[in-house]
Amino acid sequence: MSRGHLRVYLGAAPGVGKTYAMLCEGRRALERGRDVVVGLVETHDRPRTAALLDGLEMVPRRTLVYRGATFTELDVAAVIDRAPKVALIDELAHTNVPGSRNAKRWQDIDDILDAGIDVISTVNIQHLESLNDVVQQITGVPQRETVPDEVVRRADQVELVDMSPEALRRRMAHGNVYGPEKVNAAMSNYFRVGNLTALRELALLWVAGRVDDQLDRYRADHGIATTWEARERVVVALTGGPEGDALVRRAARIAARTTGADLLAVHVTSSDGLAGGDPAHLARQRSLVESMGGSYHQVVGDDIPGALLEFARGVNATQLVLGASRRGRFAQILSRGVGMETTARSGSIDVHMITHEEARKGRRPARSRAALTRERRLSGWAMAVAGMPVLSAILSVFREDLSLPSEILFFLVMTVGAALVGGMWPAVTAAVGGSLLLNWFFTPPLGAFTIADPENFFALVVFVLVAVAVSTIVDLAARRTREAARARADAEVLATLAGHVLRGEAAVPSLLARLRETFGLTSVTLLEHVGEPGSDDTLREPGLDDTLREPGPDDRFRPAAWRIVATSGGTPCASPSDADTDVVIDEALVLTMRGRLLDAADRGVVEAFAAETAVALRQQRLEEAAARARPLAEADKMRTALLAAVSHDLRTPLASAKAAVESLRNTEIAWSEADRAELLATADESLAKLDALVVNLLDMSRLQAGVLGLTLQPVALEEVVPRAVDDLGPLHDRVDGDISIDLPEVVADPVLLERVLVNLMSNAVRHSPSDQQVVITASSYGEHVEIRVVDRGPGLPAEAHERVFLPFQRLGDRDNHSGVGLGLALSRGLTEAMGGTLVPEETPGGGLTMTLTLPIST
């Protein structure tokens, strides 16, 4: 049996018409003669959506009971047994009630697809797992129902149901999305124009990314290698040279000319891993690319033009940016070079050749260290200088028994030995010297540098050529071996650095310590220039927005011009001039090292450490700036939420009190005593509500600002609890108190403790059935007393236990008609201010227990 096909309608927000579009498609399929059933559809009481269900067969839902409440869910088994051609199942990201067949609805749909049934479903962009945190940052609302992106990406068809923010808000205002009582709250919170615009952009980008994947898959399946310019993609080729920064910026400007263009940087390394760019330059350029919104890639290939074009075609690039050749004129005459070869083979890809300051200066490869040790080179010279005369003396004894070819072979063996031991130059010396000795002592006429037989002359020439060739190959092999060992050691160090970063140990002091250990240094110090050239400015603490001037020539010797950011090891360097080795990271940062001089080969790895240290420093300062801004943002968020939440709660008691007072002042109406008493009671009740609300708001503001006044003292619970019960007014009959007089006193502010208890008990009474009493008990436990307020209401799921303490939350309901929801948030804040805790627990048998814990007075 073949697996069914999944079609998903994706929306940017609730109300854009996903379910409506799904039902319309279902009706069209039914009209075409396909067997269509409704597995589960949520109409949300929208009449136009509900009307589309007429004429469609609906599979009965499965009923489940959870914590005393009845729920209905998709009946997967019933849908599979019915075996339609198409099933309409709403809300792909829905979380099923415990006891269902699967935990998530998308898993139910997977089972139905496995049964060979096509499914049409719906999902909102905020429910995609990868965008969950982004949506929360935009809207301030966490989404607890999510679906893995891969589930939606695997769908055979994803269709975006798009609607402009203004159109969606008009639809809401007309009552086509929510009921009239929820419209104002929704439009002033989640459904603000800015939120909807951002969510719409997320949905469009996500669908565009999926379209890109489909296009790449289609081109791969059909073997299409040519570029399809469906979207601008600019690829910049980096060699690891200093010109890379200019190339990246130019490529970014080219990409910026087209909205939505992608920027990609690529570096090609040779397959042997021995030749490559400067790691410090590449690290800096990678950071630059990523800061401009691009991505960095590295590919391996010996044919650089071919590797570049293969990568560019693989990502469907439209433009390729290359730097002008750094080779000299003579080298360009011998071969066309990477730029010209790439341009000739680019086909439909536009190639930009960018000039730069390094062009035509020639490559300046780093001087490699000697391939052989000093001892081996001395031994090789000894064999060349002393070994050849000794060999000549020995062979002179057997001159009559040996022919010239045999003597040449002996000298060749000595030359190869000199090459193996000492490298190329001792071997070349041995070859030249050996040819002279052979000519003088063993080639007729003896004792002269003339050669009578041309064949002997040819033999000596061949000897020299073979000796030089062998010595060159041996020396090259030795150098390659040493370079490979060096590259392996550098790779291990860089791999260690990468692992260091991935494990989250990228703090600046940790990186400096790792650098000091790796190279056996005495101390490593990161310095930052903080003074103007030639001035004696007072050092200041630099922030992210500081403009640090580039050091002047004299500042290298002035400790007052530098600030130690971090150090590891012994005495730190106060200025770059104190260091044995220093690496300039940028115009303000210098990494200084003491202990030994580092050679050129080590410097490349050190520069990679330095680049990572600069990134870590910037990240650290960003985190510090974010930490400083977080309280301000929280305070601003609180003020915004207060203004949004209290509008209704302030308006209602004010309106009631104002109406009552205006009625009493109206002299045209003769009020009876009963009417006057009722109006006064209304005004009094409204003003009392207003007073309680203002007090709560002020206390919450003081808690947020950390300026709440406390008077902590020993408090007897048997005195505070009865007063709190009496403060409930008419509700006090709904509370049973059981407080022992033997309990020890607690440390608390009696006024605030009474307010906390009133809030907890009133909340418990409000959520308890009318025939159930709220119970308040207390007991001592160790050095604390626990006060429990127990109700028999519907309770809360475990995942909502902490959410209920957020301001402006009422069991997840965000409308304002029952108050701003400050009671529990304020209660926890006041409790913690008194040194206690307030946690919710499930009441055995159903309900919620609030446990207030306070320290015992000593």
Side-chain angles (χ1 to χ4, degrees):
M1 179 185 299
S2 61
R3 180 178 167 89
H5 294 84
L6 174 62
R7 180 173 184 174
V8 177
Y9 284 97
L10 175 70
V16 296
K18 303 178 302 299
T19 304
Y20 191 91
M22 178 184 70
L23 291 174
C24 287
E25 178 60 28
R27 298 185 71 87
R28 284 191 293 271
L30 186 65
E31 292 171 359
R32 292 194 295 267
R34 302 197 70 190
D35 185 10
V36 180
V37 302
V38 175
L40 186 146
V41 167
E42 298 290 354
T43 64
H44 301 290
D45 298 325
R46 297 166 188 165
R48 295 185 180 180
T49 304
L52 291 176
L53 290 171
D54 293 341
L56 292 175
E57 178 185 347
M58 288 186 284
V59 176
R61 301 187 185 188
R62 182 186 178 194
T63 302
L64 297 98
V65 177
Y66 178 66
R67 292 186 175 178
T70 302
F71 301 90
T72 59
E73 292 288 0
L74 172 67
D75 194 334
V76 180
V79 173
I80 294 176
D81 291 341
R82 170 62 178 76
K85 291 295 184 182
V86 180
L88 309 181
I89 303 174
D90 211 359
E91 299 184 355
L92 181 66
H94 173 76
T95 300
N96 294 328
V97 173
S100 301
R101 174 169 174 157
N102 296 300
K104 304 288 287 188
R105 184 164 294 164
W106 64 264
Q107 296 170 323
D108 294 340
I109 291 175
D110 255 359
D111 292 345
I112 294 173
L113 292 171
D114 289 338
I117 302 171
D118 294 345
V119 175
I120 304 177
S121 188
T122 64
V123 71
N124 278 328
I125 193 67
Q126 66 263 29
H127 295 300
L128 295 182
E129 184 66 49
S130 66
L131 299 176
N132 185 259
D133 56 339
V134 179
V135 173
Q136 182 174 350
Q137 290 175 358
I138 294 171
T139 64
V141 180
Q143 300 293 333
R144 289 174 174 80
E145 291 191 328
T146 60
V147 58
D149 289 44
E150 185 57 29
V151 173
V152 185
R153 288 191 181 277
R154 283 202 312 262
D156 300 275
Q157 186 174 348
V158 176
E159 185 170 334
L160 178 65
V161 182
D162 188 32
M163 178 175 288
S164 69
E166 293 76 13
L168 179 55
R169 285 170 61 85
R170 282 196 302 272
R171 178 180 285 185
M172 293 189 66
H174 294 158
N176 295 331
V177 179
Y178 294 137
E181 72 280 0
K182 295 184 178 180
V183 170
N184 288 335
M187 294 182 70
S188 61
N189 288 281
Y190 190 90
F191 289 85
R192 295 194 297 270
V193 173
N195 288 0
L196 295 177
T197 302
L199 292 173
R200 187 186 187 198
E201 182 178 10
L202 284 177
L204 291 169
L205 290 174
W206 194 91
V207 173
R210 187 176 185 275
V211 171
D212 281 342
D213 294 341
Q214 289 178 322
L215 179 60
D216 292 341
R217 198 159 50 242
Y218 178 86
R219 293 173 67 238
D221 292 343
H222 291 77
I224 300 173
T226 58
T227 299
W228 286 6
E229 298 186 17
R231 183 176 182 177
E232 286 289 341
R233 284 187 176 85
V234 181
V235 173
V236 53
L238 301 177
T239 64
E243 76 281 357
D245 296 37
L247 297 182
V248 170
R249 293 188 176 94
R250 182 60 181 273
R253 290 197 296 272
I254 294 173
R257 295 171 186 167
T258 305
T259 303
D262 294 332
L263 174 64
L264 303 92
V266 60
H267 172 66
V268 180
T269 60
S270 61
S271 58
D272 60 12
L274 298 179
D278 188 317
H281 288 156
L282 287 173
R284 185 179 66 252
Q285 289 155 16
R286 177 174 186 165
S287 177
L288 180 61
V289 169
E290 292 172 349
S291 70
M292 293 181 174
S295 57
Y296 177 86
H297 307 267
Q298 189 161 314
V299 297
V300 177
D302 293 320
D303 178 14
I304 295 179
L308 280 177
L309 291 172
E310 183 180 357
F311 173 81
R313 294 188 178 108
V315 298
N316 204 23
T318 57
Q319 303 188 61
L320 181 59
V321 177
L322 301 173
S325 178
R326 285 187 286 157
R327 301 184 310 151
R329 292 181 181 274
F330 182 74
Q332 293 185 34
I333 293 174
L334 296 178
S335 66
R336 293 198 294 182
V338 173
M340 296 299 294
E341 186 67 22
T342 302
T343 303
R345 296 159 57 181
S346 62
S348 60
I349 301 176
D350 297 337
V351 178
H352 301 265
M353 294 289 291
I354 308 301
T355 59
H356 50 83
E357 294 180 354
E358 301 296 322
R360 300 207 175 205
K361 288 185 177 180
R363 295 184 177 274
R364 297 182 296 274
R367 295 177 60 187
S368 63
R369 299 170 63 183
L372 302 173
T373 62
R374 183 171 180 271
E375 290 75 11
R376 286 187 60 177
R377 283 183 283 118
L378 289 176
S379 299
W381 282 110
M383 290 180 66
V385 175
M388 287 298 187
V390 172
L391 179 61
S392 299
I394 294 174
L395 292 179
S396 297
V397 178
F398 304 98
R399 183 183 298 145
E400 299 299 330
D401 301 322
L402 296 174
S403 63
L404 181 61
S406 300
E407 294 161 345
I408 288 176
L409 288 177
F410 278 109
F411 274 87
L412 183 60
V413 170
M414 180 64 73
T415 302
V416 172
L420 291 173
V421 175
M424 183 175 67
W425 293 112
V428 170
T429 303
V432 175
S435 66
L436 295 176
L437 291 172
L438 280 169
N439 190 2
W440 184 271
F441 290 105
F442 302 101
T443 305
L446 301 179
F449 288 110
T450 58
I451 301 175
D453 190 348
E455 186 177 343
N456 293 339
F457 172 79
F458 179 74
L460 289 176
V461 171
V462 171
F463 162 73
V464 173
L465 292 177
V466 170
V468 171
V470 170
S471 62
T472 301
I473 292 172
V474 170
D475 182 72
L476 180 61
R479 289 181 183 276
R480 284 286 185 172
T481 302
R482 182 144 188 166
E483 288 174 3
R486 182 74 198 196
R488 179 179 178 181
D490 290 348
E492 290 176 353
V493 171
L494 293 175
T496 302
L497 173 62
H500 188 69
V501 174
L502 290 174
R503 289 191 299 271
E505 305 170 8
V508 175
S510 178
L511 286 171
L512 298 186
R514 183 59 59 92
L515 175 61
R516 181 177 58 82
E517 294 167 1
T518 301
F519 292 98
L521 301 168
T522 304
S523 70
V524 179
T525 306
L526 181 62
L527 297 176
E528 185 170 29
H529 184 257
V530 292
E532 296 184 5
S535 71
D536 292 321
D537 291 346
T538 303
L539 294 182
R540 54 193 171 86
E541 186 74 18
L544 285 172
D545 297 327
D546 289 337
T547 302
L548 300 176
R549 296 179 180 269
E550 188 174 352
D554 296 333
D555 285 351
R556 286 183 55 84
F557 306 96
R558 295 179 56 252
W562 300 90
R563 170 182 175 270
I564 296 177
V565 177
T567 186
S568 174
T571 305
C573 298
S575 66
S577 61
D578 297 339
D580 294 322
T581 304
D582 65 275
V583 174
V584 177
I585 301 175
D586 56 29
E587 62 273 9
L589 293 173
V590 176
L591 187 65
T592 60
M593 289 151 280
R594 274 181 173 163
R596 67 184 180 90
L597 291 172
L598 297 180
D599 56 33
D602 289 333
R603 193 176 181 89
V605 179
V606 171
E607 288 176 346
F609 267 96
E612 183 60 37
T613 302
V615 172
L617 176 62
R618 180 166 181 79
Q619 181 178 357
Q620 174 184 318
R621 289 183 172 172
L622 285 171
E623 291 173 353
E624 292 171 356
R628 291 194 297 268
R630 194 172 295 117
L632 298 176
E634 290 295 332
D636 183 68
K637 183 178 178 181
M638 175 64 67
R639 285 193 294 269
T640 303
L642 284 172
L643 291 174
V646 303
S647 57
H648 177 273
D649 296 84
L650 289 174
R651 189 184 304 117
T652 301
L654 280 174
S656 300
K658 182 179 179 182
V661 172
E662 287 179 349
S663 299
L664 290 171
R665 292 182 62 189
N666 191 340
T667 58
E668 297 179 0
I669 302 176
W671 300 103
S672 65
E673 288 300 322
D675 291 337
R676 291 177 62 84
E678 183 178 354
L679 289 171
L680 288 172
T682 299
D684 181 67
E685 180 182 357
S686 299
L687 293 174
K689 289 182 179 179
L690 183 62
D691 177 68
L693 175 61
V694 171
V695 169
N696 278 348
L697 291 174
L698 289 175
D699 283 345
M700 181 58 72
S701 299
R702 293 189 185 105
L703 276 173
Q704 293 290 326
V707 295
L708 182 69
L710 293 174
T711 305
L712 297 179
Q713 61 188 57
V715 176
L717 293 180
E718 66 270 18
E719 298 176 1
V720 174
V721 173
R723 289 202 305 268
V725 174
D726 292 339
D727 288 344
L728 293 175
L731 299 177
H732 74 276
D733 293 335
R734 298 278 309 279
V735 178
D736 287 338
D738 184 14
I739 306 299
S740 171
I741 61 174
D742 297 328
L743 285 173
E745 293 180 331
V746 298
V747 178
D749 184 309
V751 177
L752 297 183
L753 177 57
E754 186 176 333
R755 288 190 56 202
V756 170
L757 294 175
V758 170
N759 279 339
L760 295 179
M761 289 186 291
S762 62
N763 187 71
V765 169
R766 185 166 61 252
H767 291 92
S768 292
S770 57
D771 59 344
Q772 295 285 340
Q773 292 290 102
V774 172
V775 178
I776 179 169
T777 64
S779 60
S780 61
Y781 180 78
E783 298 180 353
H784 296 83
V785 170
E786 295 181 346
I787 308 168
R788 295 179 179 83
V789 179
V790 185
D791 69 57
R792 294 291 179 179
L796 284 176
E799 61 269 15
H801 280 182
E802 289 303 312
R803 180 160 49 92
V804 78
F805 289 105
L806 297 175
F808 323 120
Q809 294 291 319
R810 289 186 172 274
L811 295 176
D813 188 355
R814 297 181 65 83
D815 74 54
N816 293 344
H817 289 78
S818 57
V820 294
L822 282 175
L824 291 178
L826 183 60
S827 297
R828 172 172 274 190
L830 295 176
T831 300
E832 292 176 349
M834 292 186 291
T837 60
L838 179 62
V839 295
E841 301 172 352
E842 292 186 16
T843 302
L848 190 69
T849 297
M850 286 291 181
T851 302
L852 171 64
T853 303
L854 293 170
I856 294 175
S857 172
T858 56

